[in-house]
Amino acid sequence: MGSENLNKRRELTVQGGIRKSRLQRNQYTISLMNEGLRAGLLTSREMMRIQNAFMQILQELIKKYTRGESTSVTTETAESLLTSIMYAADAHLFSFEEPEKAIVYLKTVDVRQIYERGVEKVSQCLEETKQLYKQITANKLEVPVDAYNMTIDESLPVFLRKYGIIFDAHNTMASIDYPLAVDDMRLQGVFYMKQYLEQLKLETEFCAMFDQRELLDLLAHYGRECRFNYRIELFNIYELVLNNAIFSVLSGGDADQIRISESQYQRLEQQFMSLTEPQIRSVISGAMGKLQQELPIHTRLKEYMDGCMEDLVQRVTNAAKHGSLRAVIITEREAGVKSIVLFFNEEDRMSDVELRRRLDEIMACERKEDKVKLILTSFHSFHDFLDMLESECLFGDEYTALFHAFGDMELAILAKTVFYEELRSESLDLPSILLLENEYKMDWQMQFVRCLQSMSRERLQGVEKYMDEIDYEQMKFY
Amino acid sequence: MYISRLFNSLNVSMQAQYMTELLELNEKTKEYGLVLTPRDVELMMAARNEVLHSYGRVELSIEVTKALIEVFSASSFIQQENYVDTLNELHEIFYDLKNETEDRISDMKLLHRMKDMFEEDCEGSLGLLKSRLEEYAEEFRRELQKNESLFEGENDYWDLKI
């Protein structure tokens, strides 16, 4: 290859400039340097100088990290510290509007200064995140959804307390289970958390515009529709609320309503089944506009809502195609008509001491008939009952004797608990679930399955009848 | 390994400096009849880098090497003929022990622990020293686990005393 050719090539790359698509938010400085090198905005000598400057910072950070007690660290530690340094540099360089400006800055300004400014940015972001968290706790929704509550009450405070600006800035180390409608997972560390909280705040603000009773009913109807216990499931509340508010507008209801009656559902079904995708997009967009007009919605929230629209359009289009609109339009279902009311009262529980005493008594019984009798007479709470089964105080055929002594209703309650996953994922009937021969963690669960497998078809039908009528609403498993 | 390569490139500029500092130690070790030639130093540093690489560690300076020389040269169990080999082995034992004690013990404390065991329990046997230190590390980790379960969540890195 002649030198002329080479020069031509270089010229071409120089003209290409920075391609923003090649820059990564997560490794911004590194991708910026690589892109700068490729586009001829940075020479390899400059690149080397910048790299060395970062390594000098790393050396100092390692000393700080070991508090001068050690001059070496594991490679993993060094890499993690370097990532933390780059996280700060990214924070600063990303704030430049144009990447070209960031490259000029990298070339001309002391790398240490870039790093220090970045650390300030990270620290400032942490403070803002703490403020956001306060606002979120003050306006938290009163909903019995574990993932939502635990994320706010437990996981976020741990993050805010343990987040390390210097040594661990890139680390998100928190178990954030509650899923948002829109979540940029490319972000890390405190920038991720800030974004998460900002969006959670918007979602919470929106949900708080609706009647609390209607919201709780919506959750219950949703749980019934999906045949699961919504309290322990991972789903986004805001999306449910937004979708139903849109459906309300589309079926003649008010914008601040999220209740969809059966007749409203029928109207919506008829409407959606006859529309093409662009038409569905158009009606949903119209309803979204109305919602944004009639509810006190500010610009930021409006943008967020708009960002969720296309997802709903796709879901409705698909559901209309497959005749599964009920899964998208959560419709009111009267629980009282067919459900049996069960009382699982927390207050009925025995104290730990009493429970232990009862378990000892059961263990002390020699005959299985006596054990069964004792259990039937002394356990009245579902929770105690589960505790007893989980304590493994019974063996082999003692389980069989106990389960056979139960009525269909008791067996149905246990079946709803043991077959939670099977009932949730597919609408299988009890005999088909028993044919699956799934493995279960606890001995009592395996014994329970075996016992049901040995029962007559008529008996199983009896159990299943109750299973259909019992609502997860009334059960708590822990 | 990206990071150790970068570190090594930084250290290249320091090589001459390291050589001078290590050779200067001969003045002190001479009284025990122990001396390193420039070639010895070169080989020793190459062996040290190999050890660091294979044990997955990044080293910032030659402080540990200097301390090993200063602390161990006083031992009556080390002679000039096995001096370099012994230093190489000591490097390996040291960095292995850093990993095995999960970086929770300071360099100086570990070095002195090694020296005491080398002199007293092991009477100069490097094989015995290795196995004694393995037991020590095991015991240390057990204690560490016990303490961590006691003070869950408050892992103040360098404060553990054992």
Side-chain angles (χ1 to χ4, degrees):
Chain A
M1 200 186 288
S3 64
E4 200 189 295
N5 225 342
L6 256 177
N7 281 337
K8 227 181 218 170
R9 258 186 156 196
R10 193 166 297 149
E11 244 180 61
L12 280 176
T13 54
V14 171
Q15 280 169 356
I18 296 276
R19 287 199 204 142
K20 284 189 180 173
S21 61
R22 293 199 184 193
L23 300 177
Q24 298 169 28
R25 173 65 184 92
N26 240 347
Q27 289 187 318
Y28 190 68
T29 311
I30 289 177
S31 62
L32 188 70
M33 276 159 62
N34 286 333
E35 198 42 24
L37 195 66
R38 193 196 58 78
L41 298 173
L42 208 62
T43 64
S44 28
R45 183 185 283 269
E46 282 165 330
M47 177 100 154
M48 191 76 99
R49 180 191 64 79
I50 297 166
Q51 272 184 357
N52 280 348
F54 277 119
M55 293 312 269
Q56 299 285 355
I57 298 174
L58 177 59
Q59 281 190 323
E60 284 160 32
L61 207 59
I62 291 177
K63 274 186 208 155
K64 264 192 202 161
Y65 180 77
T66 66
R67 301 184 194 166
E69 299 267 357
S70 175
T71 57
S72 67
V73 289
T74 60
T75 318
E76 294 84 52
T77 304
E79 277 168 352
S80 172
L81 292 172
L82 183 60
T83 315
S84 186
I85 294 170
M86 300 316 286
Y87 185 86
D90 290 354
H92 187 44
L93 292 176
F94 193 72
S95 62
F96 286 82
E97 270 172 36
E98 293 302 320
E100 285 81 2
K101 281 188 186 161
I103 289 190
V104 173
Y105 196 75
L106 249 178
K107 281 167 72 160
T108 48
V109 175
D110 185 7
V111 170
R112 185 174 306 274
Q113 199 180 324
I114 296 176
Y115 168 66
E116 281 163 7
R117 292 249 171 98
V119 171
E120 277 168 32
K121 269 227 151 58
V122 174
S123 164
Q124 189 191 339
C125 180
L126 180 63
E127 278 318 304
E128 288 162 6
T129 309
K130 284 181 180 169
Q131 290 308 318
L132 267 170
Y133 177 71
K134 272 188 198 162
Q135 294 167 15
I136 282 177
T137 46
N139 300 306
K140 202 178 142 215
L141 299 172
E142 291 281 334
V143 286
V145 177
D146 286 355
Y148 176 80
N149 290 320
M150 273 158 81
T151 296
I152 297 178
D153 298 338
E154 292 172 30
S155 309
L156 290 170
V158 170
F159 174 84
L160 294 173
R161 204 170 55 239
K162 290 202 163 178
Y163 182 68
I165 296 172
I166 303 292
F167 299 136
D168 250 334
H170 57 294
N171 209 331
T172 319
M173 52 186 184
S175 49
I176 304 298
D177 291 333
Y178 181 67
L180 295 176
V182 183
D183 197 357
D184 188 354
M185 300 282 204
R186 288 169 307 169
L187 292 176
Q188 289 179 321
V190 73
F191 286 102
Y192 171 78
M193 215 47 95
K194 189 180 169 209
Q195 169 239 212
Y196 182 91
L197 288 183
E198 277 168 348
Q199 274 150 219
L200 182 62
K201 189 174 163 235
L202 291 175
E203 293 193 359
T204 309
E205 267 176 47
F206 181 76
C207 292
M209 291 174 193
F210 299 86
D211 179 66
Q212 170 80 7
R213 189 63 252 163
E214 281 193 30
L215 176 57
L216 290 176
D217 286 346
L218 174 62
L219 294 175
H221 296 142
Y222 176 61
R224 265 177 225 143
E225 181 54 47
C226 302
R227 298 160 65 95
F228 62 37
N229 179 5
Y230 73 84
R231 294 183 177 85
I232 59 170
E233 293 290 334
L234 298 180
F235 66 98
N236 181 255
I237 304 172
Y238 156 83
E239 243 174 354
L240 271 187
V241 175
L242 173 65
N243 296 355
N244 261 32
I246 287 177
F247 295 138
S248 168
V249 170
L250 284 178
S251 56
D254 289 336
D256 63 352
Q257 263 181 2
I258 44 177
R259 246 182 235 286
I260 301 291
S261 67
E262 185 55 33
S263 63
Q264 280 176 295
Y265 174 78
Q266 298 297 342
R267 262 176 82 174
L268 288 164
E269 192 182 45
Q270 226 172 15
Q271 187 180 5
F272 287 137
M273 298 288 262
S274 64
L275 296 178
T276 61
E277 186 180 327
Q279 288 169 326
I280 290 178
R281 184 172 293 108
S282 156
V283 294
I284 289 183
S285 167
M288 180 77 97
K290 189 162 182 224
L291 211 62
Q292 289 167 343
Q293 235 171 22
E294 294 189 9
L295 297 176
I297 286 174
H298 54 80
T299 323
R300 184 72 191 85
L301 182 53
K302 182 181 173 298
E303 285 167 7
Y304 192 72
M305 288 165 74
D306 290 340
C308 302
M309 199 187 82
E310 191 49 33
D311 192 40
L312 179 62
V313 171
Q314 293 306 323
R315 286 187 62 200
V316 170
T317 308
N318 285 332
K321 212 180 284 172
H322 298 106
S324 57
L325 278 166
R326 283 214 182 264
V328 186
I329 307 168
I330 305 304
T331 313
E332 248 185 328
R333 284 215 206 164
E334 282 311 320
V337 178
K338 62 171 196 171
S339 281
I340 293 160
V341 180
L342 294 171
F343 290 101
F344 295 111
N345 239 339
E346 286 278 342
E347 295 90 68
D348 291 342
R349 295 189 77 157
M350 297 181 196
S351 67
D352 287 349
V353 178
E354 198 184 340
L355 182 66
R356 170 70 31 217
R357 193 170 56 79
R358 293 285 182 203
L359 293 178
D360 287 343
E361 280 171 18
I362 294 167
M363 300 277 261
C365 283
E366 280 188 11
R367 295 174 55 238
K368 61 182 178 200
E369 292 79 8
D370 295 337
K371 289 192 184 199
V372 170
K373 205 171 154 196
L374 190 60
I375 291 169
L376 292 181
T377 52
S378 51
F379 285 85
H380 303 292
S381 137
F382 179 59
H383 305 97
D384 290 340
F385 198 79
L386 281 184
D387 282 348
M388 183 274 296
L389 288 172
E390 281 172 14
S391 76
E392 303 200 336
C393 67
L394 299 179
F395 304 95
D397 61 350
E398 293 171 354
Y399 282 112
T400 321
L402 177 68
F403 296 139
H404 275 288
F406 279 168
D408 291 352
M409 162 77 94
E410 283 92 343
L411 292 177
I413 297 172
L414 286 181
K416 290 281 269 193
T417 319
V418 175
F419 303 129
Y420 183 79
E421 282 303 322
E422 290 84 347
L423 291 166
R424 172 186 185 278
S425 46
E426 290 162 80
S427 37
L428 291 174
D429 61 1
L430 186 56
S432 319
I433 291 174
L434 293 174
L435 279 177
L436 293 174
E437 304 212 329
N438 285 345
E439 289 285 322
Y440 295 92
K441 265 191 285 177
M442 312 284 295
D443 188 32
W444 76 266
Q445 294 171 325
M446 291 304 289
Q447 296 282 358
F448 179 68
V449 174
R450 254 173 251 150
C451 184
L452 288 183
Q453 281 167 341
S454 72
M455 285 179 182
S456 69
R457 204 167 172 90
E458 291 72 41
R459 181 83 202 267
L460 290 185
Q461 276 170 356
V463 175
E464 207 171 8
K465 191 171 149 281
Y466 282 118
M467 283 172 70
D468 287 340
E469 294 180 7
I470 299 169
D471 221 320
Y472 278 117
E473 275 293 275
Q474 296 148 342
M475 298 169 72
K476 260 187 162 181
F477 304 97
Y478 40 86
Chain B
M1 232 175 269
Y2 178 69
I3 209 159
S4 48
R5 191 172 54 82
L6 277 176
F7 257 91
N8 279 342
S9 69
L10 278 185
N11 286 341
V12 169
S13 56
M14 295 295 292
Q15 266 172 11
Q17 172 73 20
Y18 288 169
M19 176 67 85
T20 317
E21 284 180 35
L22 291 170
L23 289 176
E24 271 171 12
L25 287 178
N26 283 337
E27 287 305 311
K28 287 186 190 170
T29 59
K30 230 168 26 189
E31 60 175 304
Y32 307 113
L34 301 172
V35 172
L36 290 172
T37 65
R39 179 74 187 140
D40 289 338
V41 170
E42 258 174 41
L43 289 175
M44 182 182 71
M45 291 308 281
R48 182 192 85 138
N49 287 346
E50 196 50 46
V51 163
L52 284 168
H53 183 75
S54 64
Y55 283 89
R57 295 192 69 81
V58 170
E59 177 59 275
L60 301 179
S61 71
I62 54 159
E63 290 314 305
V64 168
T65 303
K66 282 164 77 178
L68 278 173
I69 292 172
E70 284 180 287
V71 172
F72 278 85
S73 60
S75 170
S76 56
F77 297 109
I78 300 177
Q79 318 299 329
Q80 177 63 39
E81 42 293 9
N82 59 13
Y83 186 36
V84 178
D85 288 342
T86 306
L87 285 176
N88 287 344
E89 289 244 25
L90 288 172
H91 271 114
E92 180 162 357
I93 293 173
F94 177 82
Y95 288 115
D96 181 29
L97 194 58
K98 283 295 279 188
N99 281 351
E100 293 303 310
T101 52
E102 297 176 14
D103 278 322
R104 302 291 184 110
I105 305 178
S106 75
D107 287 351
M108 285 306 137
K109 197 168 166 183
L110 268 192
L111 266 168
H112 287 285
R113 173 64 60 132
M114 278 169 64
K115 173 67 171 31
D116 291 348
M117 283 187 176
F118 182 72
E119 291 298 314
E120 289 156 26
D121 293 7
C122 310
E123 295 184 343
S125 159
L126 287 167
L128 203 53
L129 179 66
K130 263 187 215 170
S131 72
R132 283 289 147 82
L133 286 169
E134 263 169 38
E135 290 164 20
Y136 168 71
E138 222 167 279
E139 174 61 23
F140 178 82
R141 286 197 304 269
R142 242 196 318 275
E143 284 294 315
L144 196 65
Q145 219 168 12
K146 216 162 75 187
N147 282 333
E148 272 176 2
S149 55
L150 275 177
F151 305 104
E152 215 172 321
E154 298 171 30
N155 47 348
D156 212 357
Y157 222 52
W158 292 93
D159 284 357
L160 194 88
K161 299 280 180 268
I162 187 169

